[in-house]
Amino acid sequence: MNFIDLKRQYHLYKGEIDGAIKDVVESGRFVLGDQVKSLEKELGLFTGAPYAIGVSSGTDALILCLMALGVGPGKVVVTTPFSFFATVEAILLLGAEPAFCDIDPDTFNLDPGLLEDVLDGLLSDGRDVCGVIAVSLYGQCADFQRINRICEKRGLFVIEDACQSLGASFKDKMSGNLTPLAATSFFPSKPLGCFGDGGMVFTKSEPLFERIRALRVHGDTGRYQHKYIGLNARLDEIQAAVLRVKLRHFKKEIELRQDAAKRYSMLLQTLEDQGLIKLPRILQDSQSVFAQYTIRILSGGRDEVARFLKEQGVPTAVHYPEILPKMKPLEGRIFKREAFNRAELAARQVLSLPMHAFIEEREQEQVAEALSKAFEVI
Ligand SMILES: Cc1ncc(COP(=O)(O)O)c(C=O)c1O
C-alpha cells in the first residue's frame, strides 16, 4: 500500500497526460506560454478568484505575496505555529519577524478566537505588525470569515496559505478566493499536483496581480523593463499542461477523497468511542479536500503506533512532529518565546493515514484493522 498512489492516478489519465506533454514538446514553447495562461484562467474560474498567476512553487507563491505587499525588515507577520516550514520560511526570507497564534484543537488551523489578543498584544508592545498568514491545513480552510474581519478592523493584510487546500471551500467560497491574496502548491502529493514543482498565487486586487506577475520574472514589466527586484519564479508549460489534464478530473477526485474520508471515519468510529483516537473534525459550512486524513493518537504513544502500522504494511506520516517556533532557524529570531500548548500537543499526537482519490475500500479496511490491533498490542 502507498501513502499516496500517484502511479495509479497517472495510469488512469495516461493517454491524456502523455498527449498533453507531447503537444508542449512539439510546440517548442516551454515557459509562460498558452498552457500557463489557460491554466491561470481555468483555476481563476475554478476558485472564483479574479486573478491567478502561475509560479514555480508554493513557497515562491508565498514569497511573492509578501514581496508584493512590501514586507521586509522590521515588520511582523503573524502565523500559525503548526504548519510546514515554508510558511514561516517565506516570512524569514524577507527579513521580517514571525509571531504566532495557537491553533484550534479541532481543526488544527489558526484559532481566530485567540487572534485578537495576539495582535493587540503585539501592537501594544510597539511591534510593527503588518498582516497574517493563516494556513488551511490538511485540506480544510481556516475560518477566514473571522480572520478577515479581525484583520480588516486593524488594517492588516490576510494571506491564505492554500498549499494543502485547493478544491476545499468555506461558506460557499473556494480556497484561494477567501482572502485578498492566496498561495497554493502543485507539489506532486498535493490534491492537484504536477510532475515536479509548481504553484499559483490568487488575488482579488488588480495592482497586486500586476506587481506579482512582474515579480515572478525579475520584476520585468516589458521587454527588459525591470521595475522591481524580483525572482525567476515561473511555472513551466509542461507542468501547466499536466495540471490542465488533472484539473478536468479534479472535481470527481475531490468527491472520491471525501468518500474515502467518510469511510475512514466509519471504520474508525469505535476506536474514537473507546477514547483511543480522535477523528478529523470539519467545521460547519466547510468542505475539506482531505489533502491528509489526520487523526490524533490519544493512547499508547503515536510513534509506537506508527511503527506497528509500518510493520503491518501500512505507511503513515507525521504532519508535523515539531512546532515552527521551536525550529532551529527561528532561534533568536522571535520577539518572545511563548508556549503554544495546543500546537505542541498536536505535534505529539497527529498521525496521517494513507489517503488519495483512488484508495480502495479493502486498503482502508486494512488500515483500520491494523490500527485496532496496534491498540491491543501496545
Ligand atoms: C502549508 C504549506 N505551505 C507551503 C508549502 C510549500 O509548497 P511547495 O512545496 O510547493 O514550495 C507547502 C508544501 O508542502 C505546504 O504544505
Side-chain angles (χ1 to χ4, degrees), residues 286-357:
S286 181
Q287 293 281 327
S288 174
V289 71
F290 289 101
Q292 309 296 343
Y293 185 91
T294 304
I295 60 174
R296 283 183 192 255
I297 303 294
L298 303 179
S299 160
R302 186 263 319 279
D303 295 340
E304 287 72 20
V305 171
R307 217 170 296 131
F308 181 83
L309 290 176
K310 194 174 171 201
E311 284 162 17
Q312 303 290 307
V314 174
T316 58
V318 175
H319 303 107
Y320 296 93
E322 183 61 287
I323 65 167
L324 297 176
K326 285 208 167 160
M327 300 237 172
K328 191 140 186 59
L330 278 93
E331 269 173 26
R333 285 180 171 253
I334 38 185
F335 177 55
K336 271 188 196 165
R337 202 153 262 296
E338 292 163 286
F340 299 97
N341 294 333
R342 295 170 177 186
E344 295 254 18
L345 185 62
R348 287 199 295 277
Q349 292 182 332
V350 289
L351 190 66
S352 302
L353 304 181
M355 170 53 106
H356 53 94

Side-chain angles (χ1 to χ4, degrees), residues 201-331:
V201 175
F202 297 101
T203 181
K204 298 175 194 294
S205 150
E206 192 177 354
L208 286 173
F209 165 67
E210 296 293 354
R211 187 178 297 198
I212 291 168
R213 221 164 43 146
L215 286 170
R216 109 181 132 173
V217 240
H218 309 285
D220 197 347
T221 52
R223 214 164 162 70
Y224 304 117
Q225 304 298 309
H226 298 276
K227 190 167 168 190
Y228 317 106
I229 299 169
L231 302 174
N232 173 359
R234 300 174 289 226
L235 181 64
D236 71 66
E237 286 286 283
I238 289 185
Q239 301 305 343
V242 170
L243 287 164
R244 290 186 67 214
V245 172
K246 290 202 190 184
L247 183 58
R248 295 205 281 271
H249 303 278
F250 193 39
K251 277 199 178 139
K252 180 71 204 161
E253 286 198 11
I254 294 169
E255 281 169 23
L256 290 171
R257 283 174 175 279
Q258 289 168 341
D259 291 348
K262 250 183 240 152
R263 200 175 308 122
Y264 262 141
S265 296
M266 253 162 46
L267 290 165
L268 300 175
Q269 186 61 56
T270 321
L271 294 180
E272 182 173 76
D273 295 343
Q274 291 168 344
L276 300 170
I277 64 171
K278 185 175 172 192
L279 298 173
R281 297 281 189 274
I282 305 302
L283 291 178
Q284 222 190 338
D285 301 324
S286 181
Q287 293 281 327
S288 174
V289 71
F290 289 101
Q292 309 296 343
Y293 185 91
T294 304
I295 60 174
R296 283 183 192 255
I297 303 294
L298 303 179
S299 160
R302 186 263 319 279
D303 295 340
E304 287 72 20
V305 171
R307 217 170 296 131
F308 181 83
L309 290 176
K310 194 174 171 201
E311 284 162 17
Q312 303 290 307
V314 174
T316 58
V318 175
H319 303 107
Y320 296 93
E322 183 61 287
I323 65 167
L324 297 176
K326 285 208 167 160
M327 300 237 172
K328 191 140 186 59
L330 278 93
E331 269 173 26

Side-chain angles (χ1 to χ4, degrees), residues 166-219:
L166 193 68
S169 65
F170 180 62
K171 297 194 192 283
D172 295 327
K173 274 196 166 182
M174 299 296 285
S175 176
N177 190 30
L178 292 159
T179 49
L181 272 168
T184 199
S185 164
F186 303 128
F187 187 74
S189 58
K190 302 296 180 192
L192 183 67
C194 61
F195 286 179
D197 279 303
M200 195 160 277
V201 175
F202 297 101
T203 181
K204 298 175 194 294
S205 150
E206 192 177 354
L208 286 173
F209 165 67
E210 296 293 354
R211 187 178 297 198
I212 291 168
R213 221 164 43 146
L215 286 170
R216 109 181 132 173
V217 240
H218 309 285

Side-chain angles (χ1 to χ4, degrees), residues 27-55:
S27 79
R29 174 94 198 237
F30 296 103
V31 177
L32 294 186
D34 290 344
Q35 293 298 323
V36 171
K37 255 190 230 137
S38 300
L39 180 71
E40 289 169 343
K41 201 163 156 208
E42 288 160 8
L43 276 173
L45 287 172
F46 178 84
T47 56
Y51 302 101
I53 306 131
V55 299

Side-chain angles (χ1 to χ4, degrees), residues 25-240:
V25 175
E26 285 188 351
S27 79
R29 174 94 198 237
F30 296 103
V31 177
L32 294 186
D34 290 344
Q35 293 298 323
V36 171
K37 255 190 230 137
S38 300
L39 180 71
E40 289 169 343
K41 201 163 156 208
E42 288 160 8
L43 276 173
L45 287 172
F46 178 84
T47 56
Y51 302 101
I53 306 131
V55 299
S56 43
S57 68
T59 307
D60 286 339
L62 286 168
I63 292 170
L64 287 164
C65 289
L66 295 175
M67 284 172 87
L69 290 162
V71 173
K75 301 280 183 189
V76 176
V77 180
V78 174
T79 190
T80 167
F82 196 54
S83 179
F84 179 59
F85 185 63
T87 311
V88 77
E89 192 177 30
I91 301 168
L92 292 166
L93 273 168
L94 284 168
E97 185 186 308
F100 298 92
C101 173
D102 212 349
I103 57 169
D104 172 341
D106 279 340
T107 63
F108 301 102
N109 285 328
L110 186 151
D111 186 346
L114 304 175
L115 184 60
E116 292 206 277
D117 280 353
V118 169
L119 292 173
D120 293 341
L122 287 161
L123 291 165
S124 68
D125 280 337
R127 316 297 297 165
D128 189 0
V129 182
C130 58
V132 171
I133 303 178
V135 181
S136 295
L137 203 69
Y138 304 151
Q140 174 170 208
C141 299
D143 183 348
F144 284 105
Q145 202 172 49
R146 291 172 69 195
I147 295 169
N148 286 341
R149 205 179 305 134
I150 291 165
C151 289
E152 262 165 38
K153 241 171 53 185
R154 291 162 179 80
L156 306 176
F157 68 73
V158 184
I159 298 172
E160 181 190 16
D161 178 339
C163 287
Q164 301 185 9
S165 59
L166 193 68
S169 65
F170 180 62
K171 297 194 192 283
D172 295 327
K173 274 196 166 182
M174 299 296 285
S175 176
N177 190 30
L178 292 159
T179 49
L181 272 168
T184 199
S185 164
F186 303 128
F187 187 74
S189 58
K190 302 296 180 192
L192 183 67
C194 61
F195 286 179
D197 279 303
M200 195 160 277
V201 175
F202 297 101
T203 181
K204 298 175 194 294
S205 150
E206 192 177 354
L208 286 173
F209 165 67
E210 296 293 354
R211 187 178 297 198
I212 291 168
R213 221 164 43 146
L215 286 170
R216 109 181 132 173
V217 240
H218 309 285
D220 197 347
T221 52
R223 214 164 162 70
Y224 304 117
Q225 304 298 309
H226 298 276
K227 190 167 168 190
Y228 317 106
I229 299 169
L231 302 174
N232 173 359
R234 300 174 289 226
L235 181 64
D236 71 66
E237 286 286 283
I238 289 185
Q239 301 305 343

Side-chain angles (χ1 to χ4, degrees), residues 1-5 8 256-257 259-261 263-264 293 353-365 367:
M1 183 186 324
N2 291 313
F3 184 68
I4 294 174
D5 202 330
R8 221 177 265 180
L256 290 171
R257 283 174 175 279
D259 291 348
R263 200 175 308 122
Y264 262 141
Y293 185 91
L353 304 181
M355 170 53 106
H356 53 94
F358 306 104
I359 192 164
E360 289 173 6
E361 208 167 323
R362 63 171 178 84
E363 291 174 314
Q364 293 191 271
E365 284 164 4
V367 175

